[in-house]
Amino acid sequence: MQQFNRRRFLQAFGITSLASVTGVSGAIAGGYSNGARIVVVGGGSGGATAAKYLKTFSPGLDVTLIEPNSTYHTCYGSNWVIGGFEDMDNIAQTYDAMRDRHGVKVVADSVTAVDADKRRVHLAGGDEIKYDKLVMSPGIDFRYDAVEGISEDDAEAIPHAWKAGEQTRILRSQLTDMPDGGVFVMVAPPNPFRCPPGPYERISLIAHYFKQEKPKSKIIVLDAKDNFSKQGLFEEGWAEHYGDMIEWRGASDGGRVEEIDVGEKMARTEEGFERVKADVMNFIPHQRAAKIVHDVGLTNDEGWVPVDQRTFKSEMDGNIYVLGDSSVAGAMPKSGHSANNQGKIVAAAIVRELMDQEPFDPSSANTCYSLITPDHGVSVAAVYQYKDGAQAGVDGSGGVSPSGESADFRKREAEYTRGWYKGITYDIWG
Ligand code: FAD
């Protein structure tokens, strides 16, 4: 009862505590141990959080994290690199603390198959690992088949930069090579996709770079949607800082792209609208859950993983939990902050199940900060509560930054953006 009241209190102020996210109080966390084997697939925002918090809530668990890359570059902050005011090294995370501080076994490999009957995962390197519970947070993959003329093989010529790392570097170097007066074209994806405000932060920060170094250049966004996250705030910021450098075309206004001529860097839009030629093109493909969850048979017709949104347990298999961008999570957006909250929910749900306790109704939150210049931040925030079978937004919680605010206010939000980055990356990989 005490915890219920505390949770209600925190919700009223749009704040969530670890206990409200997880239903695991200090009294439960700590000494419990039964040696159950938990395998976590993917060391990104969701998987790394789940692995760390499984060990935090129940140090006796045998937790193995499988991730092919020894360094994870966060997508958050990758637009700052593309905008030319952040270094790739500063968005790189490692698994040292996971291994040395939290006692998670980290295996540098990829899962190629899951034998759900025998509860075993198969690795590309040939090994097999047995599990009692499997957690999967493998992120997204792309549906290149939705637009003609372009495939995954073209990602070097026309980068997506929607998984950070090498792709981020490629897009940045194409921009630095582009002459002043060139045209940058972004092809933005339809919903649902990873990080709803992400394309528009990217546009803003490329405009910031052009304004400093290549002021005669132009930016055209061809969007598969008619509106986007924090649109009013972005458009206000674009008018304030970049004049008419950015031209955004919504789906009904010639933004829907049907074909790309990769050699020419030309986008063909719907009949009746003009073709658009780029010097640098950023094609962000339509998206779906990562390949491995399709291969395991966990996805629905739309290409995402339906789960019990109270625990993130797969609807297809009671021993597999799927979280992060791959999952269908009600009102929660596909974001690093959501994946981080879901990682704690999953860790707590597994510990409670192993202790024969009933699942709890988790409450969580999301904030997505975006920079329009390095000193102009805007945000959207919301609080979620599991209700009537889904993660639902709590009435009256959250909202977006006010419009028409002072430069000082925007600067403070830019500082919160960097603070958020430090906090969340420490919470996940620290
Ligand atoms: P990921 O973090 O992508 O992790 C998936 C991991 O699984 C990867 O490391 C991958 O190597 C691994 N993997 C995949 N398949 C296998 C396999 N078969 N075997 C083993 N491992 C596998 N979110 C925010 O909250 N705030 C932001 O400001 C923000 N900015 C963004 C900006 C951009 C440009 C982009 C693209 C995204 C941004 N996001 C932001 C979104 C955020 O990055 C994702 O929503 C989040 O990382 C999703 O977490 P995840 O665990 O589902 O997937």
Side-chain angles (χ1 to χ4, degrees):
M1 192 60 178
Q2 201 179 359
Q3 191 183 330
F4 174 76
N5 286 336
R6 179 174 154 71
R7 190 185 308 162
R8 288 282 299 274
F9 170 82
L10 288 164
Q11 276 173 3
F13 290 89
I15 302 164
T16 44
S17 70
L18 184 60
S20 71
V21 169
T22 62
V24 174
S25 69
I28 297 172
Y32 176 73
S33 151
N34 74 348
R37 292 160 304 186
I38 319 290
V39 170
V40 181
V41 181
S45 310
T49 305
K52 171 176 167 179
Y53 277 88
L54 279 159
K55 287 298 274 186
T56 304
F57 296 154
S58 189
L61 291 174
D62 178 352
V63 180
T64 303
L65 175 67
I66 304 168
E67 163 62 50
N69 305 306
S70 57
T71 302
Y72 173 93
H73 288 96
T74 58
C75 285
Y76 17 111
S78 66
N79 286 335
W80 313 347
V81 175
I82 290 166
F85 59 95
E86 187 57 276
D87 200 274
M88 280 292 276
D89 290 347
N90 293 335
I91 61 162
Q93 309 296 331
T94 71
Y95 299 97
D96 297 348
M98 195 66 70
R99 200 181 290 111
D100 302 340
R101 193 177 304 158
H102 305 297
V104 172
K105 295 175 189 161
V106 181
V107 174
D109 211 330
S110 286
V111 173
T112 51
V114 175
D115 184 336
D117 292 336
K118 296 201 173 110
R119 284 191 270 146
R120 277 201 300 238
V121 296
H122 297 263
L123 306 186
D127 289 343
E128 290 176 6
I129 303 181
K130 282 188 74 66
Y131 64 83
D132 296 302
K133 302 286 174 201
L134 181 63
V135 178
M136 304 186 81
S137 190
I140 52 153
D141 269 317
F142 301 119
R143 289 186 43 222
Y144 273 97
D145 58 346
V147 172
E148 284 175 52
I150 186 162
S151 78
E152 200 154 5
D153 297 340
D154 301 314
E156 202 158 326
I158 299 188
H160 52 76
W162 220 242
K163 292 184 184 180
E166 189 49 25
Q167 278 282 304
T168 313
R169 268 195 204 96
I170 293 172
L171 181 55
R172 173 69 192 154
S173 74
Q174 290 191 0
L175 290 166
T176 52
D177 290 349
M178 192 187 92
D180 188 11
V183 178
F184 170 77
V185 175
M186 171 188 278
V187 180
N191 295 319
F193 65 104
R194 151 178 291 184
C195 193
Y200 314 99
E201 179 188 64
R202 177 171 294 174
I203 289 306
S204 309
L205 299 180
I206 290 174
H208 165 75
Y209 167 65
F210 285 171
K211 190 175 166 182
Q212 319 279 311
E213 307 282 338
K214 299 173 182 180
K216 289 186 273 180
S217 305
K218 173 121 190 103
I219 296 175
I220 299 174
V221 189
L222 300 173
D223 209 323
K225 307 175 289 301
D226 272 325
N227 44 57
F228 58 88
S229 173
K230 293 184 271 190
Q231 184 163 355
L233 289 166
F234 277 112
E235 288 178 342
E236 184 181 276
W238 292 347
E240 181 183 339
H241 300 290
Y242 307 123
D244 58 2
M245 184 184 274
I246 299 171
E247 186 188 333
W248 176 78
R249 299 183 193 170
S252 318
D253 199 18
R256 195 175 285 117
V257 172
E258 296 192 332
E259 187 178 358
I260 305 279
D261 180 333
V262 174
E264 292 292 315
K265 293 201 175 150
M266 175 90 82
R268 180 174 64 75
T269 53
E270 280 181 299
E271 210 176 322
F273 293 99
E274 63 165 340
R275 288 163 187 252
V276 180
K277 168 124 178 73
D279 292 287
V280 175
M281 185 177 277
N282 174 206
F283 175 73
I284 306 172
H286 297 219
Q287 292 166 31
R288 61 173 201 166
K291 180 174 182 300
I292 186 67
V293 287
H294 290 270
D295 294 350
V296 179
L298 301 176
T299 47
N300 62 18
D301 290 345
E302 285 78 47
W304 305 98
V305 179
V307 294
D308 168 359
Q309 293 180 25
R310 179 188 262 173
T311 58
F312 288 81
K313 191 182 275 193
S314 157
E315 286 183 359
M316 320 287 181
D317 186 311
N319 291 311
I320 304 181
Y321 294 74
V322 182
L323 68 150
D325 289 352
S326 280
S327 67
V328 178
M332 295 182 86
K334 297 190 186 302
S335 75
H337 200 152
S338 294
N340 168 255
N341 275 277
Q342 292 162 9
K344 294 171 193 175
I345 292 170
V346 165
I350 290 174
V351 170
R352 287 176 74 104
E353 187 177 327
L354 292 170
M355 293 172 77
D356 290 327
Q357 292 184 354
E358 286 296 308
F360 66 104
D361 293 348
S363 170
S364 62
N366 178 69
T367 309
C368 279
Y369 287 101
S370 306
L371 294 180
I372 293 177
T373 77
D375 288 327
H376 181 141
V378 292
S379 60
V380 55
V383 180
Y384 306 96
Q385 172 74 59
Y386 175 78
K387 200 175 164 199
D388 301 330
Q391 290 287 340
V394 172
D395 285 345
S397 72
V400 295
S401 312
S403 61
E405 268 299 343
S406 65
D408 188 48
F409 186 97
R410 302 298 186 214
K411 192 161 196 267
R412 280 206 301 279
E413 283 227 86
E415 283 159 15
Y416 302 153
T417 307
R418 294 186 180 87
W420 173 87
Y421 184 91
K422 278 192 193 138
I424 198 139
T425 50
Y426 185 79
D427 191 41
I428 300 173
W429 294 278

